[in-house]
Amino acid sequence: MNPVVRFAPSPTGKLHIGNIRTALYNWFFAKKYKGRFILRLDDTDKVRSTHEFSESILEDLQWLGIIPDSIEKQSERVSVYDGVIDRLKSHGWLYACYESPDEIECLRNRLIARGLPPIYDRSSLKISNEDHANLLAQGKESHWRFLLPNFEVSPFEPKRTEIYWNDLIRGPQRIDLASISDPILVRCDGTYLYTLPSVVDDIDMGLTHIIRGRDHVTNTAAQIALFNVLDANIPAFGHHNLLVDSSGEGFSKRKGALSIQTLRKNGYEPMAVSSLACLIGTSQSVHVYENLSQLSDVFDPQKISCSDAKLDIFDLGKLSQKILSRLSYADVRSRLVASHSDLGESFWNSVRPNLKIFSDVIQWRDVVNGNFIPRIFSNDEIEFLKFSAFLLSDEVWDSYVWKRWTDLLKIRTGRKGRSLFMPLRQAITGQDSGPEMASLLLLIGKDRTIRRLLLL
Ligand code: GLU
């Protein structure tokens, strides 16, 4: 049977590198086993989901080279969820509750303060039909919880009820349904939380494997219970570790984690993002691969570690740098044009080893064009620079000029090493380091170089 997997982001923010890890794992799984990869937009939260975020998810995936076989939107399937809710209600699997979010929080805190697990006590189940009618008549709105099948006779006497699955990544998992609260499936305003639509879609779309972050492990227990009461086949589950930032905090769309869009705009290479997102936090070493199919060939889900992985943006810079240093002028010409930095092939060849991200090219374009803040020099250095300008004016302008000129300067001034090269580099480029001066000099040209040495 060919597998069906999905990547199911909520369009409530921009994708970050942790989301891409999930997308890639699913995409690779689908490719490897000749299955289907569905992009499912979990947009049931009407307030926070936006069209712009959906569009940016599509753009990000396209930029990385992840092409879904189909795209589904939960907002277009609400009537299907309504039907399932009616079915669950008629079988007594849902019950109405009236606590406000503040009251729920208070109940939780009270239990925690008493050293008890913060599990909802099902008190709404005790409300009589008459009281329900009164509450509704008073204009109270109810939300709906799923009565977890964790009891034999009385729901007020839950019993240990283990949900077991053999996780594709974490191995055997057991979660006791008596250790979690009945999940809220429907909000007061009738909109759906993620739990039920996800299961309904997974069933209707024939999902065979669900690969997602380990933050969903507890949801999985409640969702398997839903698969069961809906008499559906249970897909295989795999929960990968999460990526955390340098302070150990998880990436979160809500908190505005560094987005893929920002990485793209800042000129990081897509394969640097994918290679890092995929291989960090595994026992495989993080190499940069040229394309997704190479990365997919080396990737092995068995090698994903259990603990979360710290992602350092500096590493992304290093990987991007490696890729950039291998790209030819033909590969990048259109990007150079788009960033108004196309100064020709020799410009690209001389600056590419110095680029961490593509947009660094702009800085070097400005250096060549003389758009930088001139440095301030001591009198001694000003004299040296003047003398070097004088010597340079006599030089023949060919590809060996830098070597001939600096050899001559060495002899004539007695300077060498840093004291010879640093003032020249600083005066000509405004920088302390950068591409080889021999090639920069040719790009800048004789007249401009002399003017810079004379601090004009
Ligand atoms: N919309 C959910 C999320 O973004 C999907 C989780 C899942 O893959 O089931 O976390």
Side-chain angles (χ1 to χ4, degrees):
M1 182 181 54
N2 295 350
V4 182
V5 295
R6 52 32 169 213
F7 172 51
S10 309
T12 53
K14 291 182 184 149
L15 294 184
H16 53 68
I17 196 156
N19 301 128
I20 290 309
R21 185 176 183 79
T22 312
L24 285 170
Y25 288 177
N26 280 286
W27 167 252
F28 290 160
F29 194 85
K31 294 289 126 200
K32 185 161 185 172
Y33 298 105
K34 306 208 173 348
R36 293 186 66 231
F37 172 88
I38 300 173
L39 168 65
R40 192 183 78 199
L41 296 167
D42 285 2
D43 54 354
T44 54
D45 184 337
K46 287 188 193 150
V47 181
R48 294 192 303 118
S49 302
T50 70
H51 177 69
E52 285 69 30
F53 287 139
S54 295
E55 288 297 305
S56 79
I57 290 171
L58 296 175
E59 269 172 35
D60 290 347
L61 294 184
Q62 198 182 14
W63 177 66
L64 292 162
I66 300 174
I67 319 288
D69 293 303
S70 67
I71 301 176
E72 306 287 344
K73 280 187 174 177
Q74 291 195 323
S75 55
E76 289 168 3
R77 292 179 38 83
V78 172
S79 59
V80 179
Y81 312 140
D82 291 345
V84 176
I85 285 292
D86 289 345
R87 205 168 118 202
L88 289 173
K89 280 183 187 167
S90 69
H91 286 84
W93 285 116
L94 296 192
Y95 61 101
C97 305
Y98 302 88
E99 297 90 354
S100 67
D102 284 348
E103 283 165 339
I104 295 174
E105 189 57 24
C106 249
L107 287 169
R108 271 178 60 86
N109 291 342
R110 239 181 282 151
L111 290 167
I112 293 171
R114 285 166 54 203
L116 297 169
I119 301 170
Y120 178 62
D121 62 4
R122 295 177 163 164
S123 48
S124 290
L125 262 183
K126 292 181 182 150
I127 300 173
S128 66
N129 284 347
E130 197 185 335
D131 286 343
H132 274 298
N134 285 338
L135 285 164
L136 290 177
Q138 286 163 25
K140 272 263 189 192
E141 284 170 331
S142 61
H143 54 270
W144 293 83
R145 286 189 190 257
F146 170 40
L147 184 62
L148 288 172
N150 56 11
F151 57 94
E152 263 165 26
V153 185
S154 163
F156 301 105
E157 287 166 25
K159 295 177 64 167
R160 185 171 179 85
T161 311
E162 252 182 19
I163 293 282
Y164 169 86
W165 73 95
N166 193 5
D167 198 280
L168 299 168
I169 297 169
R170 305 172 85 77
Q173 302 289 307
R174 290 186 163 78
I175 292 193
D176 176 11
L177 282 187
S179 71
I180 55 180
S181 292
D182 292 336
I184 299 174
L185 300 191
V186 191
R187 298 187 184 91
C188 289
D189 62 1
T191 60
Y192 292 100
L193 280 113
Y194 140 84
T195 313
L196 176 100
S198 182
V199 170
V200 173
D201 289 350
D202 291 340
I203 298 170
D204 288 358
M205 293 169 197
L207 265 290
T208 56
H209 296 78
I210 295 179
I211 303 168
R212 56 188 178 188
R214 64 142 185 85
D215 48 335
H216 286 289
V217 165
T218 315
N219 289 338
T220 298
Q223 289 185 330
I224 288 181
L226 268 173
F227 277 101
N228 281 333
V229 302
L230 292 171
D231 261 337
N233 287 335
I234 298 168
F237 285 90
H239 294 88
H240 62 76
N241 59 355
L242 301 180
L243 302 184
V244 295
D245 64 20
S246 48
S247 59
E249 280 248 357
F251 288 95
S252 144
K253 274 193 266 163
R254 277 196 219 184
K255 287 191 220 147
L258 194 61
S259 67
I260 298 300
Q261 198 181 74
T262 306
L263 297 178
R264 180 169 77 230
K265 286 192 177 149
N266 286 349
Y268 287 94
E269 296 304 297
M271 274 315 295
V273 175
S274 293
S275 302
L276 190 66
C278 172
L279 296 174
I280 195 167
T282 70
S283 57
Q284 292 175 286
S285 43
V286 180
H287 287 301
V288 72
Y289 289 87
E290 266 175 35
N291 51 51
L292 286 185
S293 109
Q294 278 182 10
L295 183 58
S296 155
D297 286 346
V298 295
F299 169 66
D300 179 354
Q302 299 304 317
K303 302 212 165 132
I304 299 174
S305 329
C306 272
S307 48
D308 291 345
K310 216 171 237 189
L311 183 132
D312 191 340
I313 194 78
F314 183 71
D315 293 335
L316 196 57
K318 281 197 292 192
L319 295 180
S320 238
Q321 190 170 14
K322 258 192 202 152
I323 296 180
L324 286 169
S325 67
R326 290 184 205 149
L327 294 178
S328 72
Y329 178 61
D331 292 332
V332 295
R333 173 111 208 273
S334 57
R335 292 167 75 186
L336 288 169
V337 171
S339 62
H340 310 288
S341 308
D342 183 15
L343 303 188
E345 186 164 3
S346 47
F347 168 73
W348 172 251
N349 289 342
S350 72
V351 302
R352 68 182 174 178
N354 287 79
L355 307 178
K356 277 205 172 53
I357 53 175
F358 187 80
S359 53
D360 287 348
V361 82
I362 292 168
Q363 181 201 342
W364 296 113
R365 173 202 68 191
D366 287 346
V367 163
V368 171
N369 289 340
N371 297 328
F372 58 84
I373 300 167
R375 305 292 281 255
I376 294 169
F377 295 96
S378 66
N379 287 340
D380 194 29
E381 278 174 332
I382 292 172
E383 280 312 307
F384 166 66
L385 291 171
K386 258 194 208 159
F387 182 64
S388 62
F390 165 70
L391 286 190
L392 188 62
S393 58
D394 282 346
E395 284 291 340
V396 178
W397 201 252
D398 62 17
S399 44
Y400 302 103
V401 61
W402 170 259
K403 170 94 175 76
R404 273 199 319 272
W405 175 49
T406 49
D407 282 349
L408 187 61
L409 269 171
K410 219 182 276 179
I411 298 166
R412 299 286 298 272
T413 64
R415 286 187 183 235
K416 54 181 185 186
R418 199 183 151 82
S419 78
L420 171 73
F421 294 112
M422 190 53 92
L424 296 178
R425 181 179 280 283
Q426 288 176 334
I428 297 168
T429 71
Q431 311 290 321
D432 289 350
S433 60
E436 283 189 15
M437 286 303 294
S439 52
L440 275 184
L441 209 63
L442 296 175
L443 291 163
I444 293 167
K446 190 170 188 177
D447 288 351
R448 287 196 294 193
T449 305
I450 291 177
R451 287 179 67 78
R452 291 180 199 180
L453 292 167
L454 295 175
L455 309 178
L456 294 174

